[in-house]
Amino acid sequence: MLTSQGDWLSLQNHFIPTLVRMNIESRQHSLGFLDGVRGVAMIIVVFHHFGLAFFPAINYMNPDQVNLGNGGIELLIAKTPLNIFFNGGFAVSIFFVLSGFVLSYKFHRSGNHKLLREYAAKRYFRLLIPVGVSVILCYILHEAGLFTHKELGDMTKSKNWLDCLFRDMSTVADMIKNLFVDVFLNRDDRYNPVLWTMTIEFLGSLLLFSFLTLAGNNKKTILLHIIVAVLILLTDKKFYAAFILGSLISRLFVDGFSFPKGWKGIGIKLLLLSAGIYFSSYPQGSLLEQSIWKPLSWSWTNSYDLFHVLGSFCLLFVICFENNFMRFFSIKPFLYLGKISFSFYLIHLAVLCSLGTTLFLELWKPGTYFIPFLISFLASMAVSFLISHFYYKFIDKASIGLSEKMGKLITKGDLSE
């Protein structure tokens, strides 16, 4: 029984910090929602590619590329934030910010620099097997003549994009060089067009590990994160800033950051969400004069990458510090999507450009555009899900196991902290 004000204050000083610490630790051990976010981002990439193949007006805002009626629906999506659900640049920015968060998380918690060396040692091997298998599968499909996407170009008004896919495939020796070297160092996506992101993913990871090694692990690094991210955003390598920004969110997450209570906190969240949606839905087309993004068409920005990175950061920041969003992205379907997301990402375009386009070509007749597309889409998604499930089980998981072994082997003699 409390007998004095001093007893009450003593209990307060002990109990409240303990509750806060327990809440932080509970949140830190529940990172599954990040897989859910990754799964949703993967679906957006898939929608983006189907949009480019069959409804290019959604991406480019060009009325001449409309395929449904008078184009009202396609142009509505293109010219409003609805295009966030078809915006591939935004989705891959989410991937990069997530990588920055996940790859830095344990270091921010422990301050152990050996973790960074081990992560750097195993990063190549983590990506190599799933990426390499996808390159080989695409090469086999190409050599077997199963890619039919180029026949679709004039019908879907997406010839410029479709003609660029699975191009310039050469000898087996060139393919092997591509999967071991060029995909990771030269942004060479000839054998699988989705692999343009692998150079950024690999080098961005190494950049992050180097930055954290130099910056150390204390609260002062928050300012360093901001400075370095801004400097990178001023270059033409803007996607690399996403890794630093992801690490910044991770640092704050570990420190137990939370939004202010009451209306002030709600206002900040709404402002970040609004900015995130506006920036993230910035279109890749060039007809910005006709859109709500006209105020952002500054010459110095040079590309849409800047806004996609900033938008991804704003959205993920709110998601990571708002329990309702964390719970939403933790539902089982999203978690499953996250689990197979890398596998799905690697193989879905090959399925689209073989099975999907072949079905469309077989079913299409004048005046029946949407039904052939819908059948093509549903069949491609079903097959992609099936392949991805086993791809994850037998290939992606194997790469995780190999990378763990290689990381430990390479850093075996490291006796530092």
Side-chain angles (χ1 to χ4, degrees):
M1 186 172 179
L2 299 178
T3 59
S4 69
Q5 184 178 13
D7 291 333
W8 169 249
L9 291 175
S10 176
L11 181 61
Q12 238 186 346
N13 291 337
H14 170 75
F15 188 61
I16 293 178
T18 300
L19 282 178
V20 172
R21 184 171 65 254
M22 288 173 62
N23 181 57
I24 292 170
E25 290 176 353
S26 174
R27 186 174 69 177
Q28 289 174 352
H29 285 86
S30 303
L31 298 180
F33 72 95
L34 296 177
D35 281 335
V37 175
R38 184 180 290 107
V40 172
M42 179 273 293
I43 290 297
I44 291 174
V45 169
V46 175
F47 286 174
H48 173 66
H49 288 147
F50 272 93
L52 281 170
F54 294 98
F55 304 104
I58 290 176
N59 189 72
Y60 301 115
M61 296 189 291
N62 187 349
D64 294 334
Q65 292 180 297
V66 162
N67 284 316
L68 290 180
N70 62 5
I73 295 176
E74 293 164 83
L75 295 177
L76 174 67
I77 294 172
K79 295 179 180 181
T80 67
L82 287 173
N83 88 61
I84 197 173
F85 298 108
F86 299 85
N87 200 310
F90 152 65
V92 296
S93 295
I94 283 284
F95 289 154
F96 298 146
V97 177
L98 284 171
S99 289
F101 185 112
V102 173
L103 293 173
S104 64
Y105 176 69
K106 287 186 178 180
F107 173 72
H108 287 313
R109 290 196 69 192
S110 68
N112 186 350
H113 282 76
K114 185 179 178 180
L115 281 173
L116 299 177
R117 294 187 284 274
E118 187 174 314
Y119 285 166
K122 71 183 184 181
R123 193 61 178 157
Y124 174 77
F125 300 99
R126 167 65 185 97
L127 300 172
L128 177 63
I129 294 178
V131 165
V133 171
S134 79
V135 168
I136 294 170
L137 288 176
C138 290
Y139 184 75
I140 292 172
L141 288 172
H142 176 268
E143 292 301 298
L146 296 177
F147 284 131
T148 57
H149 56 283
K150 291 186 178 180
E151 300 175 37
L152 214 67
D154 292 328
M155 297 169 65
T156 65
K157 303 175 185 177
S158 189
K159 184 176 177 61
N160 289 341
W161 183 71
L162 289 170
D163 282 355
C164 292
L165 305 180
F166 302 104
R167 70 198 187 284
D168 302 328
M169 293 190 181
S170 184
T171 62
V172 172
D174 180 66
M175 181 265 292
I176 293 174
K177 176 176 176 290
N178 176 274
L179 72 89
F180 278 104
V181 179
D182 294 335
V183 162
F184 299 106
L185 297 179
N186 298 322
R187 202 166 170 173
D188 187 345
D189 62 357
R190 288 176 296 132
Y191 289 86
N192 187 353
V194 303
L195 296 182
W196 68 270
T197 61
M198 286 303 106
T199 298
I200 300 171
E201 180 66 39
F202 179 59
L203 297 182
S205 301
L206 298 185
L207 168 68
L208 175 63
F209 300 144
S210 300
F211 166 74
L212 291 175
T213 299
L214 295 172
N217 185 47
N218 56 71
K219 291 189 177 181
K220 292 181 180 179
T221 63
I222 292 175
L223 180 59
L224 283 176
H225 277 80
I226 296 171
I227 292 171
V228 171
V230 169
L231 290 175
I232 296 174
L233 287 172
L234 294 176
T235 72
D236 62 350
K237 306 293 184 182
K238 295 175 176 57
F239 278 131
Y240 290 97
F243 294 86
I244 307 299
L245 292 172
S247 177
L248 172 59
I249 298 175
S250 180
R251 172 76 258 182
L252 294 170
F253 194 85
V254 168
D255 288 343
F257 170 87
S258 60
F259 286 105
K261 300 295 183 181
W263 288 107
K264 183 178 180 181
I266 293 173
I268 294 173
K269 292 175 192 176
L270 289 176
L271 180 62
L272 286 172
L273 282 174
S274 300
I277 293 171
Y278 182 58
F279 290 149
S280 297
S281 57
Y282 188 91
Q284 294 173 266
S286 58
L287 303 177
L288 292 175
E289 296 297 318
Q290 306 172 23
S291 74
I292 62 172
W293 298 276
K294 181 180 178 180
L296 300 182
S297 57
W298 312 316
S299 59
W300 67 270
T301 60
N302 195 33
S303 71
Y304 47 79
D305 300 352
L306 169 67
F307 302 113
H308 291 164
V309 171
L310 290 176
S312 299
F313 170 73
C314 291
L315 292 177
L316 196 61
F317 194 95
V318 177
I319 290 170
C320 287
F321 300 109
E322 169 52 55
N323 289 333
N324 290 322
F325 283 120
M326 293 171 67
R327 284 193 290 269
F328 176 74
F329 286 104
S330 295
I331 65 176
K332 288 185 177 180
F334 289 160
L335 295 181
Y336 176 73
L337 286 176
K339 184 171 68 173
I340 66 168
S341 60
F342 190 33
S343 302
F344 205 108
Y345 177 79
L346 292 173
I347 61 94
H348 77 275
L349 192 57
V351 175
L352 163 61
C353 291
S354 53
L355 172 67
T357 51
T358 299
L359 280 175
F360 185 86
L361 288 167
E362 290 293 324
L363 297 172
W364 180 85
K365 294 178 181 178
T368 63
Y369 193 90
F370 185 74
I371 297 301
F373 157 74
L374 185 60
I375 294 172
S376 168
F377 172 75
L378 294 176
S380 297
M381 292 295 284
V383 171
S384 294
F385 269 112
L386 182 64
I387 295 174
S388 298
H389 178 82
F390 292 102
Y391 202 99
Y392 166 75
K393 187 174 181 180
F394 295 108
I395 297 172
D396 197 26
K397 289 180 74 172
S399 76
I400 296 173
L402 173 66
S403 67
E404 291 292 336
K405 292 178 182 177
M406 294 303 298
K408 287 180 170 56
L409 179 64
I410 293 171
T411 59
K412 186 176 182 181
D414 190 344
L415 300 178
S416 58
E417 62 172 335

